[in-house]
Every structure is written in C-alpha cells, then in structure tokens.
Amino acid sequence: NLGAITATPGEEGECGLLYQWGRKDPFIGKVRSTNYDSVTATCTFEEGAVHTIDYSIAHPTTFIKGCSENNDWLYISSSSATDTTRWSSAKTIYDPCPEGWRVPDGGTDGVWAKAGMNASTGTFYSLGFKFPTSITGQESWYPATGYMHSYFVNIGYGYYWSCTNATGNIYNADNLYFYQSVSEINPYQTNGQHRAYGHAVRCQKIQ
C-alpha cells in the first residue's frame, strides 16, 4: 500500500496512508484491530463549505469533510457539477503514487475485476484478504485499512481508491472494498464512494 513501511501481512505499518480522492497529501490511518470500530483521528477537520485545490495544498493536514452538494471535499459552486479529472488513467500532478506508478483503474475494466478478485477466489483473514495471482505460487495481500470520514477512522474494513468515476453516481468514484467480519468483497461498486472519504491507495504500474 502507498505509505506502508512493511509488506508483511499482519505487521504494524502494512496499511499505509489514507487519501481523499484527488488529493496528493496523505493522512495517517488506522490502528491495528480485528473488529469493526471507530477511533478519533488526530488531524484537523473542517466542514466542506467552499474549499479549493489551492486551499487543500496550503493545508495538507486538514481533512475537509464533504459538501452535501457533491459529496466531495472540493466544492465546484454548483450542485450538478464535480471535478473528475484530479486523478485519471493518465497520471496527473495530484496523483500521490511515485514516478512510474499511478492510482489504479477501477470499474468492470479495472485491474481488480480483471484479476478476478472476489470472495470466492480469495482467502479471508481477520486482518485482510489474500488473492491468488497469475504467477504460480504467488499471492496478493490487501490489508483491512479502514477509512476516514467525519471525525473518525473506521477500522475493520478495506477500502482502496481507483481513478475511475462510479457509473451509478456522478459525484462518486469507484473503489475496491471488503468487510473484515464477513467474506465479502466487491472490486467495483456501481455507486462508488464519496470523494471526501479517506481510502488507501494500491498503485498501478504505468505501462
């Protein structure tokens, strides 16, 4: 995961950092837990009134709660408008991934769907999901990272951003998610998640 300090399943520091959709600056995420729970976050929170990209860059440790008009931390002055270009399949200046990598594609044509990632192909553990890969004997591990919203980090879930717009809601973005307490995983949500939420990022290599 982006921001992780280890790739060993089950170790502290494997979850990495959490990102609001379209923001380059990260937030410290969850504490290790095997249960659904909420813990108070340590960053500054502000209501999503009228916040701009310039404001977010000048206040990198401020988590901007979503506007009711567009479920985004970035307000566009119209309830029928939202900016879907901050992250895309073509790497942007707001993409937090390192050089040669980018925020992954989601949806039915995204990397998770193409890999066949679902509850039937993966193995569920208390701290995440493990999936087989096309390389014999190798597996891909996705820790339960939790996610940020409002004033809390909700733990016991796995949420990973994609750069793809949700097909069922113009304001939301697609994501991979799973629930820690049950063997359920969805590699592409039709209605996606609010862009104001803080999710993990697993970068995709640029071909």
Side-chain angles (χ1 to χ4, degrees):
N1 287 4
L2 189 59
I5 58 176
T6 179
T8 302
E11 285 192 359
E12 292 288 347
E14 67 162 340
C15 290
L17 301 168
L18 301 181
Y19 294 80
Q20 291 187 281
W21 198 95
R23 291 187 72 174
K24 193 176 182 68
D25 298 307
F27 296 90
I28 297 174
K30 61 163 281 185
V31 294
R32 174 64 69 208
S33 174
T34 57
N35 300 305
Y36 290 115
D37 206 350
S38 295
V39 294
T40 302
T42 57
C43 61
T44 300
F45 284 80
E46 288 189 3
E47 295 290 343
V50 180
H51 287 98
T52 64
I53 288 179
D54 287 344
Y55 183 91
S56 73
I57 294 172
H59 300 82
T61 61
T62 298
F63 190 95
I64 304 170
K65 295 195 290 183
C67 304
S68 59
E69 288 87 350
N70 63 358
N71 302 328
D72 201 340
W73 60 268
L74 179 62
Y75 183 68
I76 306 294
S77 78
S78 170
S79 60
S80 62
T82 190
D83 177 6
T84 63
T85 66
R86 285 161 282 165
W87 290 350
S88 73
S89 295
K91 189 176 175 72
T92 71
I93 60 173
Y94 307 113
D95 191 310
C97 295
E99 183 178 358
W101 299 78
R102 64 175 177 85
V103 177
D105 295 319
T108 55
D109 293 324
V111 292
W112 302 309
K114 288 179 178 178
M117 290 171 57
N118 55 61
S120 62
T121 61
T123 303
F124 173 76
Y125 297 89
S126 61
L127 297 176
F129 264 87
K130 186 178 288 185
F131 304 91
T133 71
S134 59
I135 304 174
T136 303
Q138 293 193 12
E139 296 175 303
S140 182
W141 169 252
Y142 280 75
T145 57
Y147 69 98
M148 293 182 71
H149 76 100
S150 187
Y151 294 103
F152 297 101
V153 179
N154 282 347
I155 55 183
Y157 307 80
Y159 279 90
Y160 290 78
W161 276 131
S162 82
C163 67
T164 305
N165 301 323
T167 57
N169 189 323
I170 62 170
Y171 302 123
N172 294 352
D174 211 340
N175 67 297
L176 166 73
Y177 82 92
F178 57 81
Y179 295 95
Q180 186 173 310
S181 66
V182 294
S183 296
E184 178 180 349
I185 179 169
N186 191 333
Y188 42 90
Q189 286 186 277
T190 301
N191 289 321
Q193 282 283 308
H194 298 347
R195 287 183 169 85
Y197 285 3
H199 293 343
V201 173
R202 180 72 65 90
C203 300
Q204 174 180 342
K205 192 171 185 179
I206 297 174
Q207 301 296 322

